[in-house]
Amino acid sequence: MSRIRIEKLRKDYGGQPALRGIDLDIANGALLALLGPSGCGKSTTLQLLAGFEEPTEGAIWADDQLLSSPRGSVPPERRGVSLVFQNYAVWPHKTVAENVAFGLKLQKLTAGELRVRLDEALQAVHLTSLRDRYPAELSGGQQQRVALARALAVRPRILLLDEPLSNLDTHLREEMRFEIRRVHELLGITTVLVTHDQADALSTADVVAVMNAGRIEQVGTPQELYAKPGNAFVATFIGCNNELRGTHLGGGRVRLDGREFQGLLTQELDVGAAASICIRPSKVLLQQGTGPDNNSVAGQVVRASYVGEYSDVLVSVGSDQTLRVNVSAGTPVSVGDRVTLCLPVEQCQVLASGAAE
C-alpha cells in the first residue's frame, strides 16, 4: 500500500493539453474516485499512474519513489500497480482459476505459494466455487470479479480501476459497487477508480476528485461535495442540480434577466462576478398559475415524466433556461401548463458560474 502524490501533472497530445497541471494527494489505503465527463482527463491520469504514458510536466510519487516525470518513468511492470480494464480482458479459453493465476505465474512462485495466493484472491471476490468455469459460463458481474481477482492476486500496492462498471446492467452495477467497496475494506489497497457515473463514485469512494477540462474542480468526501459544492459545475455534476446563471449583486443576491433572487452565499464572490443560483429539483416548489413574486419565476411546462415515486417536470423559464422539478406522482401537471416555481432562499446556493479557472 502506498501514498500517491501527483504534483503539477500536465499531459499534452499534439500540443493540446489533456491535463493542465493537476495536484492530488491520495492517502495510503484510501479509495479515490476520479469523476468527470468524457474528455475531462480522468483516463489520462490513470494511464499516467499505470506508466503507459509519460507526463509533459510534473511528477507522480508513490511514497518516496518517483514513478513518473519528464526525465523518465518507472516501467509499468515495476510499479507494483494492477489495472482492471473496462472490458474485463479475461481470456475466454482459460478457466477462472487460470485467468486469475496468469500474473502469479510470471512472478515465478513455487507451486505452494501460487496455490495460496490464488485461493486468497478467489476468496476475496467470492469466486471459489466458480474456479473451474470458463468466462462464457459467467455473468458480466462474475467476469468483472475475475478481472478484479487477477489484479489482486499479485498483491499490488496500488489498484487502478478504469470504468469497471460501465458494461454492467443496473442491477449488476449496484451489486459490484458494494463488492468493490467490500474488497477495498478487506484488503486496504490504495485504489483509484475512474468513472463518469456519480453513483459509482459516491457509493464506493472515500474521497472524490471532480475533474473538468483537464483540471480538478474540487476534492472532498462524497458528503462534502454533495452538500458544499465549490462551484456551479460541481453542483450540477454531483447529484441533480438546477443552475440559473446571472450576476452577483453582493450578499448572495443574483440578478437574472432583470430580476433579483436571493440565495445562501457559501464562498467569496465579488460583486459583478458571474454567479449561479443552484437548487435541487426536489427543493423547487411548483404552483399552478401565478404565485408570489419573492424568489419565484414563471414558466411553462415542456416535459412531464412519470418515474414512479414522483414526476420529473421540466419547465422553461425564458432566455433558454429551464428548471427541473420533482413533484409527487399524483400532482396534476401537463405539458403546456403555465406554472410558478418558488425557490426557497434556504435551498438556493449562490456559486461561481461554470468551472473554476
Side-chain angles (χ1 to χ4, degrees), residues 43-108:
S43 292
T44 299
T45 304
L46 204 74
Q47 294 291 310
L48 289 163
L49 281 167
F52 299 147
E53 297 280 357
E54 294 190 0
T56 305
E57 297 177 11
I60 300 173
W61 296 80
D63 294 327
D64 295 327
Q65 182 184 18
L66 179 62
L67 295 181
S68 295
S69 78
R71 298 186 301 276
S73 297
V74 175
E77 66 275 12
R78 292 174 50 200
R79 292 187 172 218
V81 172
S82 283
L83 174 60
V84 176
F85 294 96
Q86 178 178 347
N87 61 355
Y88 319 145
V90 295
W91 287 281
H93 62 287
K94 294 180 181 291
T95 65
V96 167
E98 290 168 341
N99 265 284
V100 175
F102 181 81
L104 294 175
K105 292 179 179 178
L106 299 179
Q107 293 186 336
K108 300 180 180 179

Side-chain angles (χ1 to χ4, degrees), residues 306-351:
Y306 172 74
V307 291
E309 295 181 357
Y310 62 91
S311 291
D312 184 11
V313 181
L314 185 67
V315 180
S316 172
V317 294
S319 298
D320 296 323
Q321 297 202 89
T322 57
L323 284 172
R324 287 179 64 182
V325 190
N326 297 155
V327 300
S328 61
T331 302
V333 58
S334 302
V335 172
D337 285 355
R338 300 295 304 182
V339 297
T340 296
L341 304 180
C342 301
L343 315 180
V345 173
E346 67 277 10
Q347 301 296 342
C348 294
Q349 289 183 302
V350 179
L351 300 166

Side-chain angles (χ1 to χ4, degrees), residues 70-182:
R71 298 186 301 276
S73 297
V74 175
E77 66 275 12
R78 292 174 50 200
R79 292 187 172 218
V81 172
S82 283
L83 174 60
V84 176
F85 294 96
Q86 178 178 347
N87 61 355
Y88 319 145
V90 295
W91 287 281
H93 62 287
K94 294 180 181 291
T95 65
V96 167
E98 290 168 341
N99 265 284
V100 175
F102 181 81
L104 294 175
K105 292 179 179 178
L106 299 179
Q107 293 186 336
K108 300 180 180 179
L109 303 173
T110 66
E113 290 172 331
L114 190 150
R115 184 169 56 253
V116 169
R117 298 268 287 273
L118 173 60
D119 289 344
E120 287 178 348
L122 292 174
Q123 289 172 10
V125 299
H126 296 165
L127 280 178
T128 301
S129 63
L130 303 178
R131 62 185 301 143
D132 295 323
R133 292 193 184 180
Y134 288 89
E137 302 173 287
L138 304 177
S139 69
Q142 289 167 339
Q143 290 185 48
Q144 187 61 280
R145 291 183 192 212
V146 174
L148 181 58
R150 184 175 56 197
L152 296 174
V154 297
R155 295 181 180 173
R157 57 175 174 168
I158 297 171
L159 178 64
L160 306 178
L161 305 174
D162 185 10
E163 297 274 10
L165 310 180
S166 61
N167 292 332
L168 302 179
D169 62 33
T170 300
H171 175 73
L172 286 176
R173 193 179 190 113
E174 292 177 354
E175 179 183 314
M176 282 303 298
R177 286 173 190 153
F178 294 113
E179 186 69 7
I180 288 172
R181 185 68 215 176
R182 182 190 64 78

